[in-house]
Amino acid sequence: MSIKDISRAKSAELYEKAKTYFPGGVNSPVRAFKSVYGTPLFIEKGNGSHIWDADGNEFIDFCCSWGPLILGHANAAIIEKVTEVMQKGMSFGAPTALENELAELILSNNKFIKKIRFTSSGTEAVMSAIRLARGYTKRDKILKFEGCYHGHSDSLLVKAGSGLVTFGETSSAGVPVAFANETIVVSLDDTNALDNAFAEFKDQIAAVIIEPIPANNGLLLQSREYLQYLRDICTQNGTLLIFDEVISGFRVGFEGAAGVYGIQPDIITYGKIIGGGLPVGAYGASAEVMDHISPVGSVYQAGTLSGNPVAMAAGIAQLKQLLKPGFYENLNATTAAFVTDIRQYADGKGYPVKLFTIGSIFWFAFTDQESISTAEQIDPNGMVKFKEMHRELLNRGVYMGPSGYEVGFISSAHTAADLETTKTAIFDSLDIVFK
Ligand SMILES: *Cc1c(COP(=O)(O)O)cnc(C)c1O
C-alpha cells in the first residue's frame, strides 16, 4: 500500500537557495533528481550504512557516494588516519611518504600494474591515460563503447553516430566536432563491430577504452570471451587496451575486473574507492608504458593537489581494510544472497523486473530479458517504473541513486538487519509499482 511521502521541506528550501548559486542547484547533474520524483534530498550526515537528510529523514544508503564508500560512511579507521595526517598540514605540492605508502599498498597487491600516477578524479585519470596511449603509440584515434562512461573529458563525451562504423557524435555542447572525429564508438558485446572498426581504421587506433564491468548505464555485464577477444584484437593491431576501473577497481575484488576476468590490459584507471571518500584518481600500467609520462617521458601530466596527503591517508586507511582476509568473499556473498531473494520475490509474483549483479554491485532492470549486455537492449520505458519505485523506497527509508540507469552498491557497513529491512521495502515498493 502507498504510504505518505516523507517531508522534504528543508531540502526544498536549500534547493531553492542552491539554484541561485549553481546551475540547476547542483555541482554534478544527476544529483538534481531530474529522473525521479521530487526535490533532491540535501544530506546532512552519514554513519555506517545510514544517511540523514536536512529534514531529519533517515535512510539506508545504497548510493554510497556513487561507489567510493565500500566501508560505509564515516569509517572510524579512515577518520582516525585522516585526522592524524591533516593536523600536520593539508598540502605541500612536494612528495610525501604517504604517496609511497598508498602506491606500495596497491602495487604489491595488484599484479596488473607496475607503476602508478595519482590524480584528483576519475575523469583526470582517464583523460591522462588516453593522452599516454596516444603519446605511446603515436596515433590519434581512440575507440569507446556505447553505454560506457569515462568521465567528462572532451574526447569521451561522444556517443554512437549513425551507420555501422562511424565516428561518434558529441554528447555535449561545447565538445568540438574535431574531437568527436577522433573517437570511434561501437556497441558492446559485438565482435563484428570491433573487426569492422579495426579494418576501417587500420594502424590509427591508439587505444580502446572500456569499462570491463560497464556500470554507468545499467550493469551491462560482458562475457570473458568477449573481453579476451578485445584483448587479442588490440594486441594484433598495436593498440593499447585501457580498462577504466574507476567503479570496478577495488570493488569486485582488490584487483578489480582485471583480476576477476584474468585479463591483462595495457593501462588501468582507478578512482572512487581508491580515495576512501576523498578526491583521488589514478592510472597505472607497466613501467615501460608509464615511463612515457613526464618528467621521464614526453607525455605531460600534472596536478597541484595530486597525491594530496589527506586524500592519500583516506585511501591508505580504506584499502588496508579491503586487504583483510575474506573481505570481498563476505561482501560479495552478502550481495548475492540479497539479490537472489529479490529476484525470487519478483519472479514469484511474475513482475517484469530483473536484478543484475557482480561483486557488491547490483542493478534493477525493468525488463523480461534474462541478460542485457548492450546499451541498446535497455528499455527506456522501464525508467518510469524505476521512478515510481524510487519514490516508494525513499518513503520506506531506502536511498538508491536517483536514476534507473545507475547501479546500487552494498558496503561492508550494511548489516543483515539493514538488508532485511531493505528487502521488505523493495517487495512492498514493487507491489505498488506493478499493482
Ligand atoms: C565515475 C567514473 C568516472 C569519472 O570519475 P570522476 O571522479 O567522477 O571524475 C570515469 N570512469 C568511470 C568508469 C566511472 O565510473
Side-chain angles (χ1 to χ4, degrees), residues 392-393 396-398 420-430:
E392 296 300 330
L393 287 176
R396 288 166 175 77
V398 172
E420 282 309 312
T421 305
T422 303
K423 275 188 277 181
T424 304
I426 289 172
F427 298 164
D428 292 349
S429 298
L430 290 176

Side-chain angles (χ1 to χ4, degrees), residues 26-46:
V26 289
N27 287 297
S28 196
V30 70
R31 297 179 195 171
F33 269 43
K34 289 288 177 218
S35 313
V36 294
Y37 171 81
T39 207
L41 302 181
F42 279 60
I43 305 303
E44 207 164 85
K45 62 175 182 182

Side-chain angles (χ1 to χ4, degrees), residues 242-262:
I242 304 174
F243 272 8
D244 181 357
E245 299 228 42
V246 172
I247 279 194
S248 54
F250 311 101
R251 168 60 65 179
V252 294
F254 198 86
E255 290 181 314
V260 165
Y261 293 108

Side-chain angles (χ1 to χ4, degrees), residues 170-214:
T170 66
S171 60
S172 163
V175 175
V177 173
F179 280 71
N181 286 349
E182 301 302 331
T183 304
I184 304 153
V185 185
V186 301
S187 286
L188 286 160
D189 195 21
D190 181 349
T191 52
N192 283 333
L194 287 177
D195 291 344
N196 292 339
F198 274 98
E200 186 168 347
F201 301 105
K202 188 142 190 62
D203 299 334
Q204 296 175 59
I205 305 176
V208 169
I209 183 164
I210 187 168
E211 286 179 81
I213 296 176

Side-chain angles (χ1 to χ4, degrees), residues 76-282:
I78 299 179
I79 291 178
E80 191 186 336
K81 178 87 181 167
V82 164
T83 309
E84 174 205 316
V85 166
M86 70 198 297
Q87 312 286 338
K88 298 191 244 170
M90 303 280 194
S91 180
F92 308 104
T96 64
L98 290 159
E99 291 153 80
N100 286 9
E101 194 180 338
L102 183 56
E104 162 84 27
L105 208 58
I106 295 167
L107 296 175
S108 61
N109 292 288
N110 181 340
K111 60 184 167 298
F112 297 95
I113 54 170
K114 294 289 179 275
K115 275 193 178 176
I116 194 164
R117 170 67 64 87
F118 292 119
T119 64
S120 299
S121 71
T123 294
E124 243 188 291
V126 169
M127 193 180 79
S128 310
I130 297 281
R131 185 178 306 132
L132 171 57
R134 284 175 163 154
Y136 182 86
T137 58
K138 303 190 170 58
R139 298 175 179 177
D140 285 344
K141 293 205 189 305
I142 57 171
L143 184 149
K144 78 178 282 286
F145 297 89
E146 188 73 3
C148 286
Y149 176 70
H150 303 291
H152 63 89
S153 67
D154 283 342
S155 301
L156 293 160
L157 286 181
V158 176
K159 60 177 193 276
S162 46
L164 201 57
V165 171
T166 58
F167 303 125
E169 288 171 9
T170 66
S171 60
S172 163
V175 175
V177 173
F179 280 71
N181 286 349
E182 301 302 331
T183 304
I184 304 153
V185 185
V186 301
S187 286
L188 286 160
D189 195 21
D190 181 349
T191 52
N192 283 333
L194 287 177
D195 291 344
N196 292 339
F198 274 98
E200 186 168 347
F201 301 105
K202 188 142 190 62
D203 299 334
Q204 296 175 59
I205 305 176
V208 169
I209 183 164
I210 187 168
E211 286 179 81
I213 296 176
N216 275 288
N217 185 71
L219 182 61
L220 305 173
L221 295 174
Q222 305 297 296
S223 66
R224 189 187 178 283
E225 290 66 38
Y226 175 73
L227 294 172
Q228 186 64 53
Y229 191 88
L230 186 57
R231 171 64 280 178
D232 294 342
I233 202 170
C234 285
T235 306
Q236 287 150 18
N237 287 276
T239 295
L240 298 191
L241 175 60
I242 304 174
F243 272 8
D244 181 357
E245 299 228 42
V246 172
I247 279 194
S248 54
F250 311 101
R251 168 60 65 179
V252 294
F254 198 86
E255 290 181 314
V260 165
Y261 293 108
I263 292 179
Q264 172 72 61
D266 297 298
I267 306 177
I268 310 184
T269 56
Y270 299 103
K272 301 197 168 107
I273 289 175
I274 199 174
L278 289 185
V280 182

